[in-house]
Amino acid sequence: MESYFSVAMLGVILPLTVLLYQLVPPRVRPYVLLAASCVFYASVSGVLIAFVLLSAVSIWLVGLALSSLDRQQAAARAAAADSDARRAVKRRYRRYRRGAVTVGVAVNIGLLAVLRYLPHFVPAGGVLDISGIGVPMGISFYSLQAVSYVVDVYRGGVQAERNPLRLALFLSFFPQVMEGPISRYGQVGTSLSAGRPITVDGLWSGSVRIMWGLVKKMVVADRVNVLVKTVFSDHAAYDGGVIALAATLYTLQLYCDFSGTMDFAVGAGRIFGVTMPENFRQPFASRTAAEFWQRWHISLGAWFRDYVFYPVSLSAPVKRVTGAARRVLGNRVGPLAASGIALGCVWLGNGIWHGAGSQYLLFGLYYFVLIWLGGFAGLAGDAICGRMGVSRSGAAWRAWQRVRTLAVVVVGELIFRASSAGDALAMLGRLVGGFTFASAVDGTVLGLGMDAADFALVAVAILVLAAVGRARESGVHPLARLCPAPYAGRAAVVMTLFLVAIVFGAYGENYQPVDPMYAQF
């Protein structure tokens, strides 16, 4: 699989796109981005580019249909003789509009379900065998973007786009098509089509952000991959201490790989004058599991909030349950208890979105239970501490919350990385019942693909990342502060980050480049 940090991307595709984009007239620039996106997508997935184009055509047609129905409804209401006739018109066109948006959602979620999940349940060689088709790159991401567009048009949040090429660019924009972020048309549609000129500030700030992502991926994510892969592929051979180390390193690996790719997406967007939504916001500063998911993969969480949680919560059956729970349990506990229905739908969807394996369902169940019960625990803790006069805002308490949440996250990522739910439970069993530090002193750890120098390098890199994250949490953006420097200084920053990635990332026999981790989802 092609990486955003490959020689082809950083040395050919991105520079040529920047050059051509700047040379052509503004009205042509969006089509340069579309052409570059198609070239990149086709170079990775070949003919499977047909699916992203099919998705674009489907939402274009649904958007036009919804726009046409709105005009017809307005005309019919104006011609209605009385209020009863107007209400009848409204009911009729509500059915038509719901039918149109249902088709748009069904086509895109249907393609995702068939291509990603059906092969897991249909044996190869059967009548419905589609294993030879393959899974289009980024289909989980652009399918959700497609759904957000048709639902937003249905809700009136955005106007239907009449140019299908603009929707094709929205879905296939090459910096985000592989791993997101999952953007909305209202966020990026206008800027993608504006053809804004490339500025010096945008070029350098975008380049710095891209190089920062390269450092995270090569120095940390790729470096720890050998150990993580070794332990998770043969977990029964190791004690709980090694499993805890592997799970912790995998958590860091996933963060550095995924957020590094998001750095590329945001940085490349800046170069072309497009503000991509941020997908991470110092997630390891979180104090609860719920807060963690407000800071990690932010665009996915926001999608599930707006298109699953709220619609389920506001549906008539759930509102009746909420009312009944409020009467029985009170105004604070009742709504929290009833929210479990919508929250359960979110985490079931989150687990399924990541894959058809049982470990993903267990992963969703794990966070559903933690976040839902955490709401009750928070209410109980507030009441108990209030009666005892204990402050929950002190530095020690906040530190404890962050350590506790980090442990919760590491366990969650262990489940996520395991090959199945059974393997995850077996590893958790060894983590609890077979935890020792023996492997740390008998040389076992140093024989898993990382030597002492590798561990030292990763430790230093993590300290630097933590310092940058702490500064950003305080409102200071170190990378942004480097960009107002003179042009020579900016170039020096970019080159320094590039050299750090090459010198400290791709050295030694233990380094192995790894395909983008989230591109498989």
Side-chain angles (χ1 to χ4, degrees):
M1 179 176 289
E2 192 68 61
S3 169
Y4 284 131
F5 299 115
S6 66
V7 174
M9 173 57 73
L10 296 181
V12 181
I13 297 176
L14 183 58
L16 287 181
T17 304
V18 169
L19 179 62
L20 185 58
Y21 178 93
Q22 190 69 358
L23 289 176
V24 301
R27 68 179 183 279
V28 181
R29 287 171 179 164
Y31 304 108
V32 170
L33 295 180
L34 178 58
S37 300
C38 290
V39 168
F40 172 70
Y41 199 100
S43 69
V44 177
S45 292
V47 297
L48 296 181
I49 191 175
F51 287 101
V52 68
L53 297 178
L54 174 60
S55 182
V57 171
S58 71
I59 64 174
W60 173 61
L61 293 174
V62 170
L64 293 181
L66 289 169
S67 180
S68 176
L69 288 171
D70 287 342
R71 292 193 300 272
Q72 294 175 31
Q73 179 179 352
R77 284 175 59 87
D82 51 36
S83 59
D84 290 339
R86 285 192 291 273
R87 283 193 292 269
V89 167
K90 183 177 180 180
R91 288 193 297 269
R92 182 169 69 253
Y93 279 93
R94 182 188 298 133
R95 291 195 301 270
Y96 295 160
R97 297 178 76 253
R98 286 179 176 175
V101 76
T102 300
V103 169
V105 172
V107 166
N108 287 279
I109 297 299
L111 284 174
L112 173 62
V114 168
L115 294 173
R116 281 207 59 192
Y117 306 112
L118 192 60
H120 291 273
F121 304 102
V122 177
V127 176
L128 296 176
D129 180 23
I130 60 170
S131 58
I133 296 177
V135 180
M137 176 187 71
I139 187 172
S140 295
F141 294 93
Y142 70 70
S143 293
L144 296 193
Q145 288 194 181
V147 169
S148 74
Y149 171 78
V150 296
V151 173
D152 287 349
V153 173
Y154 170 78
R155 293 174 175 174
V158 297
Q159 294 293 317
E161 176 57 63
R162 297 190 173 277
N163 186 335
L165 297 181
R166 290 183 177 180
L167 289 179
L169 176 58
F170 164 64
L171 295 186
S172 67
F173 185 44
F174 70 90
Q176 71 166 22
V177 69
M178 187 183 292
E179 296 188 46
I182 302 166
S183 58
R184 317 285 178 87
Y185 197 69
Q187 291 175 319
V188 301
T190 300
S191 56
L192 279 171
S193 303
R196 295 168 180 164
I198 294 174
T199 65
V200 173
D201 287 342
L203 179 63
W204 286 118
S205 65
S207 298
V208 168
R209 186 69 181 265
I210 290 172
M211 289 300 108
W212 179 243
L214 179 67
V215 169
K216 287 197 285 188
K217 175 160 176 57
M218 293 185 66
V219 176
V220 180
D222 290 356
R223 176 66 53 184
V224 305
N225 179 65
V226 175
L227 186 150
V228 170
K229 186 176 180 180
T230 299
V231 174
F232 274 87
S233 62
D234 190 21
H235 58 85
Y238 303 103
D239 62 28
V242 172
I243 290 174
L245 174 64
T248 302
L249 289 179
Y250 174 70
T251 302
L252 297 173
Q253 179 192 18
L254 185 61
Y255 170 72
C256 289
D257 186 285
F258 193 15
S259 69
T261 303
M262 294 303 98
D263 289 329
F264 177 89
V266 173
R270 284 181 184 174
I271 291 174
F272 298 111
V274 180
T275 302
M276 305 298 298
E278 294 284 355
N279 220 20
F280 291 89
R281 185 171 58 84
Q282 294 74 251
F284 299 120
S286 304
R287 295 163 62 182
T288 65
E291 183 186 355
F292 175 80
W293 279 96
Q294 294 168 2
R295 295 169 173 265
W296 175 286
H297 209 341
I298 297 170
S299 62
L300 179 65
W303 192 94
F304 275 110
R305 178 197 65 207
D306 294 342
Y307 303 107
V308 177
F309 184 85
Y310 287 153
V312 172
S313 298
L314 297 175
S315 64
V318 174
K319 289 173 72 174
R320 288 195 292 270
V321 171
T322 302
R326 191 188 299 273
R327 289 191 295 272
V328 174
L329 301 174
N331 290 330
R332 296 188 69 190
V333 178
L336 183 60
S339 71
I341 299 174
L343 193 63
C345 292
V346 166
W347 283 103
L348 175 63
N350 191 304
I352 293 174
W353 181 85
H354 281 97
S358 58
Q359 71 272 30
Y360 300 122
L361 293 177
L362 181 60
F363 174 78
L365 177 63
Y366 172 77
Y367 272 109
F368 163 67
V369 171
L370 278 176
I371 293 174
W372 191 42
L373 295 184
F376 294 103
L379 292 177
D382 289 341
I384 293 172
C385 290
R387 291 176 182 176
M388 298 178 62
V390 176
S391 172
R392 304 181 74 187
S393 60
W397 181 261
R398 293 197 303 271
W400 153 247
Q401 285 182 307
R402 291 190 176 103
V403 171
R404 176 197 62 190
T405 302
L406 180 59
V408 164
V409 169
V410 169
V411 170
E413 298 304 346
L414 182 153
I415 297 171
F416 187 80
R417 176 60 176 79
S419 300
S420 66
D423 283 355
L425 294 174
M427 295 177 74
L428 290 173
R430 294 187 66 81
L431 195 62
V432 174
F435 187 90
T436 70
F437 290 103
S439 56
V441 296
D442 65 8
T444 300
V445 168
L446 297 180
L448 298 176
M450 291 178 64
D451 57 25
D454 293 328
F455 278 107
L457 175 63
V458 170
V460 171
I462 292 303
L463 289 175
V464 173
L465 291 175
V468 172
R470 183 177 179 83
R472 295 192 66 181
E473 187 70 6
S474 302
V476 178
H477 297 270
L479 295 179
R481 287 194 169 187
L482 295 172
C483 293
Y487 296 155
R490 294 176 175 180
V493 170
V494 173
M495 288 305 302
T496 299
L497 290 173
F498 177 73
L499 290 175
V500 166
I502 298 301
V503 173
F504 296 104
Y507 81 91
E509 61 182 13
N510 290 336
Y511 177 78
Q512 296 181 8
V514 182
D515 288 338
M517 297 173 68
Y518 241 80
Q520 64 179 301
F521 300 115

